[in-house]
Amino acid sequence: MAAPTLTRTPTSSAEPRTAGGGDQRRRRCRIRENLTAYAFLGAGLLCFAVFSWSPIVRGLLLGFQQVSFAQPATWVGWENYRRLFDDPLFLTAWKNTGYFTLLALVFGFAAPFVTAVVLNEFRHARAYLRMTVYLPVMLPPIVTMLLWRWFYDPGPGLFNNVLKLLHLPGQQWLESENLAMLSLVLVSTWANMGTTTLIYLAALGSIPGELYEAAELDGASIRRRLWHVTIPQLRFILMITLLLQIIGTMQVFIEPYVMTGGGPDDATVTVLLLLYRYAFVYNDFGLASAMSTVLFLVLGLFAGIYLRLTRGKG
Amino acid sequence: MPASSERTLIAPGEMNRRTGRVLYRFVLTLTVVGFTLAFVFPLYWMASGALKSSAELADPTPTLVPQSWHPESYSQAWTNVGLGQYFLNTLLLAAGAWLIQLIVDVAAAYSLSRLRPALGHVVLGMMLATLMLPVSALLVPTYLTVTDVPLIHLNLINTPWAIWLPACANAFNIFILKRFFDQIPAELLESARLDGAGPVRVLLWVVLPLSRPVLAVVSIFAVVGVWKDFLWPLLVLPDPARQPVTVALNRLAEFMPANQLLAGMVMASIPLLVIFLLFQRHIIAGLTAGSLKG
């Protein structure tokens, strides 16, 4: 990722050419240039050091400490991890999160792809369709959640009224153990598919038309062209969005926090919701940090794959 | 874009045949209607719901158009519930985060791109590495850092700095700014330098005026990011008087009358929708840049 740039700027052109200062002078100049450069970089470095790099180290250490606001932190070894694995909710949270991620992939991966392929064929209403699919992305997530909570309401809620119109039985969307997680995935897909759709559309637009023409001359049907031209051409971007989506959905928080609070009967307690409870409800920062480390290791696996894939591209 | 890229999956010939044309019209209509129902109708439902009376909202059979109009729920939400104050809070958080991010990240990107300090590539690599890190894994240690900033031992809880400062550590901003600065022809900067301009002047008078598109992208994402954020302000701004509108809406959802809550939700969304309508092009450009990074 951190590919150094190839364009070189002359670094010491301000140096007077006639003066015979020699090495010492050049070195002094180089030091001054570095000082200027670091003066510009300083504030950014400080922000990263305080709010990004040191918390990474601190997070790892906190997992082995007992932390309270009153006393200094004490070292407790693997105690937090032992308590973590003893908590029956830990396993539940991982199962629920895995289920959410799986469902979100089924919907969130298929829907934007199909949408983008279809939208790319249209010669009319393009701007309108692009805009509407992205509208939910621009809503503050809390508004989306409150809005859908109202839609899911079994009484005056929109969904059960639509079902009633179709003479179908109403559902206990968020109150039923079976449906609650699916309901959260639906909101999440609705809210986020605009981003992925637009990314796919950009990628589809850059597929060379000759590939389709050549396939057509070979007598390939539309379905075969989709399979042998479109999908291979999008393979890289499909892999990337797949991985980013796994990483993103495994950190699901606001959906269960606002819509179900983890219920019914812990059916929607996710990893991040449990982490939030450990830290900010029970004030057990050590336990929460142990949880963070586990989450970090699991997501690090996917991040590693992402890095391998993107290396050398771009 | 070359003309050949206009050619897509379906051939022009197939599109022009009679069945093709009928099918195209059918799918297009279906999609337009479907998208309108799926993505625009919920917004209409929210905005019109805010205009209904509480009794009408509670009725088990909802109405498509309000029976009686109550636009006053918007002003009630604004004044009685104090949404006006929460809006000001959000505005302050967004404006500050935008300004500080822009100053810090532009300076850093300029330094890495043009002044090229020793070990600059290591610094950039370490910054980009944080993009790979799940935000949630850093939630607890960053929170503890904000409650007691190292060395100066300040507690930033309930101050806007708790939002502003962590927002500066934004590797994505620095990365796209640096990439843009890299593309500016060296001769331009060289001639400015020969005219006696120092690095600050070169940045202000040469680099920034050329970088308007990328500055727009960074600015939009900074403002939108703060406006949409929920979890972080929920943690670091526990004092209700200082909360942004997103956190306040969730806290008040249980107590507010339904129509006023909906009015508040509409108002919390309008600024972002306006930004989107005005800057669609930039947002989509930033989106694509973000997805293809690396």
Side-chain angles (χ1 to χ4, degrees):
Chain A
M1 297 225 9
T5 50
L6 296 172
T7 48
R8 278 202 76 82
T9 41
T11 43
S12 54
S13 56
E15 199 178 346
R17 285 196 180 122
T18 46
D23 273 359
Q24 209 177 2
R25 198 182 181 119
R26 200 169 301 141
R27 196 179 307 139
R28 208 177 306 142
C29 193
R30 185 73 201 137
I31 289 172
R32 234 190 46 209
E33 277 174 2
N34 263 314
L35 281 180
T36 319
Y38 272 100
F40 276 86
L41 194 54
L45 269 179
L46 206 65
C47 282
F48 268 91
V50 174
F51 296 106
S52 194
W53 296 327
S54 74
I56 295 172
V57 180
R58 193 170 179 192
L60 288 175
L61 297 178
L62 279 170
F64 298 101
Q65 292 175 336
Q66 193 179 26
V67 191
S68 73
F69 279 120
Q71 291 122 23
T74 50
W75 199 258
V76 292
W78 293 95
E79 177 66 15
N80 287 326
Y81 288 90
R82 204 185 50 73
R83 284 197 298 141
L84 189 65
F85 289 106
D86 278 349
D87 186 350
L89 265 185
F90 177 74
L91 196 63
T92 312
W94 274 104
K95 273 190 200 154
N96 290 341
T97 306
Y99 182 51
F100 181 93
T101 303
L102 204 72
L103 279 180
L105 282 188
V106 173
F107 291 99
F109 204 57
F113 180 71
V114 175
T115 310
V117 168
V118 173
L119 291 200
N120 197 44
E121 296 305 323
F122 291 152
R123 299 283 167 272
H124 304 87
R126 295 173 75 126
Y128 174 76
L129 291 172
R130 262 164 217 250
M131 191 187 80
T132 46
V133 74
Y134 200 71
L135 273 180
V137 182
M138 289 306 285
L139 292 183
I142 190 74
V143 170
T144 307
M145 297 308 138
L146 293 172
L147 186 64
W148 277 65
R149 200 167 73 178
W150 180 44
F151 290 163
Y152 280 139
D153 191 307
L158 190 62
F159 288 164
N160 276 358
N161 273 291
V162 172
L163 290 179
K164 204 157 71 185
L165 277 180
L166 301 170
H167 299 288
L168 291 168
Q171 301 292 330
Q172 297 279 321
W173 295 98
L174 296 169
E175 289 81 8
S176 125
E177 255 181 77
N178 296 325
L179 269 185
M181 196 56 105
L182 182 74
S183 308
L184 296 190
V185 171
L186 286 180
V187 196
S188 181
T189 308
W190 182 82
N192 298 313
M193 73 177 273
T195 314
T196 330
T197 305
L198 292 192
I199 290 172
Y200 288 161
L201 271 175
L204 282 170
S206 64
I207 296 180
E210 296 86 39
L211 290 181
Y212 288 118
E213 271 157 21
E216 199 192 335
L217 287 179
D218 289 343
S221 64
I222 293 176
R223 204 187 326 156
R224 287 180 68 98
R225 269 175 258 157
L226 179 70
W227 190 250
H228 291 293
V229 178
T230 313
I231 291 179
Q233 286 287 312
L234 288 192
R235 199 167 55 201
F236 179 68
I237 200 95
L238 282 169
M239 287 300 290
I240 295 298
T241 51
L242 178 75
L243 282 166
L244 289 182
Q245 242 177 339
I246 292 174
I247 293 173
T249 51
M250 285 189 94
Q251 301 178 63
V252 53
F253 173 77
I254 193 170
E255 287 89 347
Y257 179 82
V258 175
M259 300 187 80
T260 60
D265 200 16
D266 295 330
T268 56
V269 173
T270 61
V271 170
L272 205 56
L273 190 68
L274 189 60
L275 193 155
Y276 171 85
R277 280 190 196 165
Y278 285 157
F280 303 103
V281 180
Y282 313 137
N283 284 317
D284 195 337
F285 293 110
L287 192 61
S289 296
M291 185 84 165
S292 304
T293 308
V294 175
L295 178 66
F296 170 71
L297 289 177
V298 172
L299 293 180
L301 201 74
F302 294 105
I305 303 175
Y306 175 90
L307 272 184
R308 272 196 77 91
L309 280 175
T310 48
R311 190 184 301 159
K313 302 246 179 185
Chain B
M1 200 151 282
S4 62
S5 71
E6 283 299 305
R7 171 64 164 85
T8 52
L9 181 60
I10 297 170
E14 287 162 334
M15 210 63 123
N16 288 333
R17 250 177 270 145
R18 184 208 269 272
T19 44
R21 271 210 308 268
V22 171
L23 208 64
Y24 173 79
R25 285 274 155 207
F26 178 71
V27 177
L28 178 69
T29 316
L30 209 69
T31 312
V32 169
V33 172
F35 270 42
T36 310
L37 277 179
F39 301 118
V40 184
F41 182 71
L43 300 185
Y44 165 78
W45 200 244
M46 172 166 73
S48 66
L51 295 170
K52 295 173 182 171
S53 69
S54 294
E56 196 183 339
L57 271 177
D59 194 87
T61 344
T63 45
L64 209 54
V65 179
Q67 284 165 337
S68 56
W69 296 75
H70 298 274
E72 70 272 13
S73 50
Y74 280 89
S75 56
Q76 280 164 353
W78 185 264
T79 48
N80 297 6
V81 191
L83 277 189
Q85 179 59 45
Y86 300 124
F87 259 91
L88 282 181
N89 292 346
T90 303
L91 215 60
L92 175 77
L93 294 177
W98 168 73
L99 193 70
I100 295 182
Q101 267 185 65
L102 219 56
I103 294 173
V104 172
D105 293 351
V106 162
Y110 175 65
S111 172
L112 289 171
S113 165
R114 289 305 180 173
L115 307 176
R116 312 183 121 252
L119 296 179
H121 57 283
V122 177
V123 170
L124 183 66
M126 280 175 68
M127 287 176 170
L128 288 175
T130 62
L131 280 180
M132 285 285 92
L133 218 65
V135 192
S136 47
L138 286 184
L139 205 58
V140 173
T142 316
Y143 173 79
L144 291 176
T145 302
V146 164
T147 61
D148 180 18
V149 179
L151 302 177
I152 48 174
H153 295 292
L154 270 181
N155 185 350
L156 303 180
I157 296 293
N158 282 326
T159 71
W161 295 101
I163 306 281
W164 294 342
L165 291 180
C168 290
N170 187 325
F172 174 70
N173 281 352
I174 294 180
F175 177 67
I176 60 169
L177 285 167
K178 179 190 176 288
R179 231 170 41 165
F180 196 91
F181 294 164
D182 283 344
Q183 290 164 359
I184 296 174
E187 299 81 49
L188 271 177
L189 308 191
E190 219 27 60
S191 60
R193 221 171 299 166
L194 287 178
D195 288 344
V200 179
R201 271 167 174 251
V202 172
L203 175 61
L204 291 180
W205 299 111
V206 184
V207 175
L208 288 189
L210 289 171
S211 308
R212 291 232 291 267
V214 73
L215 292 177
V217 169
V218 169
S219 301
I220 293 162
F221 277 75
V223 171
V224 172
V226 172
W227 203 285
K228 284 171 70 172
D229 204 3
F230 174 75
L231 177 54
W232 188 246
L234 173 77
L235 296 179
V236 298
L237 299 173
D239 177 3
R242 293 170 190 273
Q243 283 170 349
V245 68
T246 50
V247 178
L249 273 178
N250 183 54
R251 185 169 45 81
L252 296 168
E254 311 302 326
F255 315 110
M256 280 168 88
N259 49 359
Q260 289 182 27
L261 175 65
L262 286 168
M265 285 154 60
V266 173
M267 292 191 287
S269 317
I270 284 175
L272 293 181
L273 296 178
V274 170
I275 289 180
F276 175 55
L277 294 178
L278 289 179
F279 300 107
Q280 272 189 73
R281 210 171 281 272
H282 289 295
I283 290 173
I284 291 168
L287 209 70
T288 331
S291 68
L292 299 173
K293 66 174 174 258

